[in-house]
Amino acid sequence: MKKRGFTSVYIKFVVVFVGILWICSTAAFHLISTAITDDIRNYFTEQIQIKAQYITDFCTKHSFDPEELQSLFSDGSIEVSVFESIQELRANKRMNTFFSQEQIQQLNSSEKMEGKFARQIGLPFISFHLGGKIVVIMPNVQNNALVLFKNVIMTVLLTCAGLGSVLIAIAARMIVKPIQTLTAAAKEVAKGNFDIQIRTRSRDEIGQLSDNFNMMTQELKNIEYLRKDFISSVSHEFKTPITSIQGFARLIKNKKLPLEQFDEYTDIIISETGRLANLSSNLLKLADLENQATPEHNVTFSIDEQIRNVILLLEDKWSAKRIDFDLDLHVIKYCGDEELLQQVWINLISNAIKFSHEGGEIRITAKKEGNVIKVVIADNGIGIADENKDRIFEKFYKGDTSRTKEGSGLGLPIVKKIIERCGGRISFESTLGKGSTFYVELVNK
Ligand code: ADP
């Protein structure tokens, strides 16, 4: 993209700082000049007065030749000029650069005159008539301390401002470069390239900005990875039952299929359809919970009663495995979303049944300690291997799939989301081959 003048930080930076530098130099020059000029002017006034007195004394004692006077009394700092007449003074180009016409007129008319040049830098002068001639005593303008001083100050300030401008331009480039790198990197991110990382060594604000930018791209990369992983998991979860339904539907199209096989295949299709329905309803529940889409319907209900009802609801599953329940449920009133919390117990108790051995035992306790409600669901089933413990709350994580084909790996993520929404906590302990215990803590609002 074409850069326009002041849209570049670099140009702004250089213009502002170089501008400030030049304004300060000019102001400094004027301040120093005014402070010193008066002192120098007073010094010269004194010097030309002494010289005027000296010349007058000298000329009363000696006859004088103008040429001689000029060479005798002019020195490096004071200049003495002698003019035959006003016409000669008027015709002198140099004098015209210092005196105004009125001043020249006055020089002619007054016997003695003290003043400042009307033109140039306002230096003092004395003029008087001597032997019919006009004598002008003034500071040596070419070589006087005031001019020299001003030149020195000007040179120093010009060098500082010039050198300063170059250094500001270099420094600005160094400061702006990381910003340009960041802008280029941000454009890459906008295009969807999250692999970009900025190398930075500085610890200043720009260094911190670059570090945060790197953290952001890393985070975006993770989110992108999770999104892709989620889509591929969802597709995979849907594909398996659909393929199986398709296969068995083709088989039952065969008119000569024995009745037992027909029944068996139809049962498989029904169960796979159930799995699909379950999967999509779990996905919807999770999406609703993540987006906080459904409003909470808070009511006061008994947690102990709710757990008992869930056990009854799951009777088919536990009675088929001859599982025993050991219940210690205190009467606990809780105010919250009844339907959501029921889902927690359904998922946790279903898992306990699913991962229990035949004839296993499930212990459930519910009690209240102060304001905290503690529910513990423990089984003596297959347990969870240490290497899998970190992952059981991940979406679609199903542990060892060779042991169970049931489930979609969404049960525990749903439980976690509901408990977080209620402001509670969930944790677990498990030993492979010995069983698992899930702890739920809720706080009555
Ligand atoms: P699933 O639908 O597979 O049960 P969950 O999210 O409920 O999905 O559980 C994720 C995984 O955590 C399970 O596949 C299993 O490996 C492990 N798990 C959960 N509960 C238990 C339990 N009580 N005993 C053993 N493993 C469990």
Side-chain angles (χ1 to χ4, degrees), residues 234-403:
V234 171
S235 318
H236 177 78
E237 287 299 319
F238 273 93
K239 207 178 138 210
T240 324
I242 288 171
T243 319
S244 136
I245 291 169
Q246 204 179 28
F248 286 106
R250 272 205 193 102
L251 287 178
I252 58 175
K253 262 189 96 180
N254 178 2
K255 305 271 176 331
K256 289 176 204 146
L257 196 71
L259 195 61
E260 305 90 77
Q261 276 186 342
F262 182 85
D263 277 349
E264 189 191 336
Y265 297 163
T266 328
D267 283 347
I268 293 173
I269 291 174
I270 292 168
S271 124
E272 292 296 273
T273 332
R275 223 173 111 182
L276 273 178
N278 208 19
L279 179 66
S280 39
S281 94
N282 275 344
L283 269 173
L284 272 175
K285 260 181 224 158
L286 203 60
D288 279 355
L289 284 165
E290 280 178 350
N291 302 330
Q292 306 255 331
T294 40
E296 276 181 45
H297 300 290
N298 288 347
V299 285
T300 304
F301 59 94
S302 301
I303 288 197
D304 50 306
E305 216 177 293
Q306 193 177 46
I307 293 174
R308 272 192 210 96
N309 286 339
V310 168
I311 296 170
L312 284 177
L313 204 78
L314 300 172
E315 192 180 348
D316 278 1
K317 293 183 181 179
W318 56 260
S319 58
K321 284 178 100 173
R322 291 179 292 105
I323 289 170
D324 263 350
F325 276 88
D326 175 1
L327 305 179
D328 179 9
L329 307 173
H330 295 196
V331 177
I332 299 166
K333 294 276 177 214
Y334 177 74
C335 177
D337 192 313
E338 196 174 2
E339 212 178 304
L340 278 184
L341 210 62
Q342 189 187 39
Q343 191 66 54
V344 169
W345 314 132
I346 292 178
N347 290 6
L348 289 177
I349 298 170
S350 300
N351 276 350
I353 300 169
K354 195 159 60 179
F355 298 107
S356 280
H357 304 291
E358 286 264 330
E361 189 191 58
I362 297 173
R363 279 166 291 109
I364 305 179
T365 60
K367 55 188 170 185
K368 206 171 167 193
E369 285 175 10
N371 209 24
V372 185
I373 297 160
K374 293 186 174 178
V375 179
V376 181
I377 299 170
D379 65 67
N380 54 3
I382 62 169
I384 302 165
D386 285 344
E387 64 269 24
N388 298 336
K389 283 181 178 169
D390 287 343
R391 302 194 57 199
I392 65 163
F393 289 104
E394 278 175 26
K395 284 172 214 160
F396 297 111
Y397 179 73
K398 283 195 274 187
D400 186 354
T401 41
S402 61
R403 287 169 189 255

Side-chain angles (χ1 to χ4, degrees), residues 34-93:
T34 5
I36 288 294
T37 303
D38 280 345
D39 288 347
I40 292 183
R41 207 173 271 140
N42 294 341
Y43 166 77
F44 277 122
T45 313
E46 211 177 289
Q47 288 301 305
I48 56 176
Q49 275 167 352
I50 295 170
K51 198 137 270 190
Q53 190 57 51
Y54 192 65
I55 291 173
T56 326
D57 292 350
F58 179 83
C59 291
T60 46
K61 288 176 197 153
H62 309 89
S63 63
F64 85 95
D65 166 23
E67 293 281 311
E68 199 183 26
L69 203 64
Q70 257 168 254
S71 57
L72 258 178
F73 292 101
S74 292
D75 59 30
S77 64
I78 304 287
E79 192 181 323
V80 179
S81 315
V82 181
F83 299 94
E84 293 289 336
S85 61
I86 178 80
Q87 284 75 16
E88 192 190 336
L89 209 158
R90 255 203 198 110
N92 188 300
K93 259 193 187 163

Side-chain angles (χ1 to χ4, degrees), residues 3-175:
K3 268 189 205 157
R4 273 171 289 125
F6 276 84
T7 53
S8 148
V9 176
Y10 176 68
I11 303 284
K12 271 188 200 164
F13 197 91
V14 172
V15 167
V16 169
F17 280 90
V18 169
I20 291 174
L21 190 65
W22 282 90
I23 291 170
C24 290
S25 304
T26 320
F29 176 73
H30 284 292
L31 277 174
I32 297 170
S33 303
T34 5
I36 288 294
T37 303
D38 280 345
D39 288 347
I40 292 183
R41 207 173 271 140
N42 294 341
Y43 166 77
F44 277 122
T45 313
E46 211 177 289
Q47 288 301 305
I48 56 176
Q49 275 167 352
I50 295 170
K51 198 137 270 190
Q53 190 57 51
Y54 192 65
I55 291 173
T56 326
D57 292 350
F58 179 83
C59 291
T60 46
K61 288 176 197 153
H62 309 89
S63 63
F64 85 95
D65 166 23
E67 293 281 311
E68 199 183 26
L69 203 64
Q70 257 168 254
S71 57
L72 258 178
F73 292 101
S74 292
D75 59 30
S77 64
I78 304 287
E79 192 181 323
V80 179
S81 315
V82 181
F83 299 94
E84 293 289 336
S85 61
I86 178 80
Q87 284 75 16
E88 192 190 336
L89 209 158
R90 255 203 198 110
N92 188 300
K93 259 193 187 163
R94 246 186 107 236
M95 289 299 135
N96 274 300
T97 56
F98 303 124
F99 295 112
S100 64
Q101 285 308 309
E102 298 87 78
Q103 272 183 327
I104 292 179
Q105 198 57 49
Q106 276 177 313
L107 288 184
N108 190 36
S109 53
S110 30
E111 222 12 67
K112 186 173 180 191
M113 181 181 168
E114 278 190 41
K116 282 182 197 163
F117 292 141
R119 296 185 182 137
Q120 291 280 345
I121 43 180
L123 285 172
F125 69 88
I126 292 184
S127 92
F128 52 88
H129 292 239
L130 196 71
K133 298 191 169 70
I134 305 167
V135 180
V136 178
I137 305 172
M138 61 186 208
N140 185 338
V141 178
Q142 253 91 49
N143 199 20
N144 87 61
L146 185 59
V147 175
L148 275 179
F149 174 75
K150 282 198 173 180
N151 286 344
V152 168
I153 298 278
M154 185 101 84
T155 321
V156 169
L157 290 178
L158 276 177
T159 318
C160 285
L163 205 66
S165 305
V166 175
L167 291 179
I168 284 174
I170 297 171
R173 180 146 296 283
M174 280 164 69
I175 293 171

Side-chain angles (χ1 to χ4, degrees), residues 148-217:
L148 275 179
F149 174 75
K150 282 198 173 180
N151 286 344
V152 168
I153 298 278
M154 185 101 84
T155 321
V156 169
L157 290 178
L158 276 177
T159 318
C160 285
L163 205 66
S165 305
V166 175
L167 291 179
I168 284 174
I170 297 171
R173 180 146 296 283
M174 280 164 69
I175 293 171
V176 169
K177 200 154 190 306
I179 299 178
Q180 286 170 337
T181 316
L182 264 167
T183 314
K187 273 187 196 153
E188 280 299 306
V189 172
K191 280 186 216 156
N193 176 9
F194 302 138
D195 284 323
I196 201 138
Q197 288 281 300
I198 295 173
R199 256 189 258 158
T200 167
R201 259 182 254 132
S202 67
R203 292 283 98 230
D204 56 12
E205 285 81 351
I206 292 182
Q208 285 169 19
L209 182 65
S210 306
D211 282 349
N212 290 340
F213 181 90
N214 288 343
M215 267 160 65
M216 181 191 79
T217 51

